[in-house]
Amino acid sequence: MTPTSAPAPTGEQYALRLDGPNGPVEAVVTEVAAALRQLTVDGHDLTQPYPESATPPFGDGIVLVPWPNRVRDGRWTLDGEAQQLDITEVAKNNAIHGLLRYGAYRLVDRTDSSVTLGAAVVPQHGYPFHLWTTVAYELVPDGVRVTHAVTNLGSAAAPYAVGTHPFLRVGEHSVESLTITARTAEHVMVDARLNPEGLEPVAGTRFDLTSPTLIEGLEFDDAWRVEPDDDGLIRTTVAAPDGASTTLWQQGDWEWLQVFITRIFPTPDGLTTAIAVEPMTAPADALNSGLGLRWIEPGASWSGSWGITRQA
């Protein structure tokens, strides 16, 4: 039997709503890649939305598991044996953004203001491990809290890291007019294929984002080790000239941040500038460097959270 209409390329859409003190908080989460497709507070965009009929432009809002960013040549070593992941970034000959970028998650739990989706990572080329992962989106009065969890279903310790790929907005303000502020400590130096070559201090360099830095003119597809505030949370804020701002926070064990700026993000009105602010538990090539990498023992679990909030 032929379907009467094509399904959305991102699968089932889960619309969430919470009536907050500053107006309704609304979000849309997708079945494929457990992506955050839209997030608003009182009608103001906190993230860059995209149509239901589109795949996520530049990975907008998707979950990156069991590693974020790149693995150089898709190669790493496990107990002395070479492992070869499928090459998914062909132009740079890397394996990028994990194994569930195009995977369908299934519904685990649902309320009017929250949804939990789950998916299995099964043994495959270069990653001979079996994991169960979940992503829980919970609306809060000023935005969203996102909690990732993983359980090792296999018989050997499994290497694991996670990240996400949201593009931030401050309502209708153009991204070029915003400033970005983050407690950047060390910058990840990269080669021509964007693979790590070491860390460097940021003080006094163009990679120092500890003071508000105008996005207009910035060229970033870069990662940093970032530091927490006194309360243990790491915060990155994009702010508009009128004082309105959007903040992405991450728990202290998410101590890595990627910032990617593109000026060809497609919208119904044409191309625009967009800025991805990506929380990560590990930087690129963690399967080789070990930086930020967790080894989940058989039967063991881990969880961690990040979120996005609006300040008017």
Side-chain angles (χ1 to χ4, degrees):
M1 182 177 179
T2 302
T4 56
S5 62
T10 49
E12 188 74 29
Q13 311 286 303
Y14 300 97
L16 311 178
R17 180 184 171 98
L18 175 71
D19 289 323
N22 299 311
V25 183
E26 297 177 289
V28 177
V29 176
T30 71
E31 173 188 14
V32 174
L36 182 62
R37 186 170 70 79
Q38 186 171 2
L39 175 65
T40 63
V41 175
D42 195 29
H44 299 279
D45 285 314
L46 278 63
T47 60
Q48 178 66 54
Y50 57 91
E52 181 179 344
S53 59
T55 55
F58 297 99
D60 188 356
I62 67 174
V63 174
L64 318 173
V65 67
W67 73 85
N69 216 297
R70 295 163 174 85
V71 178
R72 187 191 309 268
D73 300 316
R75 296 175 186 165
W76 65 291
T77 301
L78 173 67
D79 297 331
E81 293 188 12
Q83 304 292 319
Q84 180 64 63
L85 298 157
D86 291 338
I87 298 300
T88 50
E89 188 183 38
V90 175
K92 294 183 173 65
N93 197 48
N94 297 315
I96 191 170
H97 290 341
L99 299 172
L100 294 178
R101 181 173 183 174
Y102 301 104
Y105 286 65
R106 68 173 184 250
L107 182 64
V108 174
D109 191 29
R110 176 87 158 88
T111 71
D112 289 344
S113 60
S114 68
V115 66
T116 300
L117 302 178
V121 175
V122 298
Q124 55 195 279
H125 297 161
Y127 194 83
F129 304 101
H130 190 189
L131 308 178
W132 173 248
T133 68
T134 60
V135 188
Y137 292 91
E138 177 189 5
L139 298 186
V140 295
D142 55 356
V144 68
R145 178 186 181 94
V146 188
T147 300
H148 300 254
V150 59
T151 299
N152 184 353
L153 302 180
S155 58
Y160 171 85
V162 62
T164 64
H165 208 286
F167 283 80
L168 299 189
R169 290 284 305 271
V170 182
E172 295 304 310
H173 292 279
S174 73
V175 168
E176 297 277 0
S177 72
L178 307 178
T179 60
I180 180 170
T181 309
R183 291 194 63 186
T184 48
E186 294 179 292
H187 172 250
V188 179
M189 299 180 291
V190 296
D191 62 18
R193 294 191 293 138
L194 301 182
N195 288 306
E197 292 189 319
L199 299 172
E200 60 181 349
V202 301
T205 75
R206 74 179 186 91
F207 300 109
D208 187 348
L209 302 180
T210 54
S211 297
T213 302
L214 185 65
I215 292 172
E216 183 179 14
L218 290 182
E219 300 286 345
F220 281 152
D221 192 356
D222 291 86
W224 291 260
R225 184 180 66 81
V226 282
E227 295 182 333
D229 294 328
D230 291 341
D231 62 0
L233 294 182
I234 295 164
R235 293 177 174 86
T236 301
T237 297
V238 291
D242 65 1
S245 64
T246 299
T247 293
L248 185 143
W249 60 265
Q250 8 184 150
Q251 288 184 335
D253 49 0
W254 294 63
E255 65 174 342
W256 301 91
L257 181 77
Q258 183 90 11
V259 175
F260 167 58
I261 299 173
T262 176
R263 291 177 171 83
I264 55 171
F265 192 99
T267 72
D269 298 322
L271 302 180
T272 190
T273 299
I275 181 168
V277 178
E278 309 166 35
M280 306 183 298
T281 63
D285 210 28
L287 287 174
N288 285 301
S289 71
L291 287 176
L293 196 67
R294 284 177 170 77
W295 286 85
I296 311 296
E297 295 294 330
S301 301
W302 174 88
S303 67
S305 299
W306 62 279
I308 301 173
T309 59
R310 176 178 184 260
Q311 295 78 43

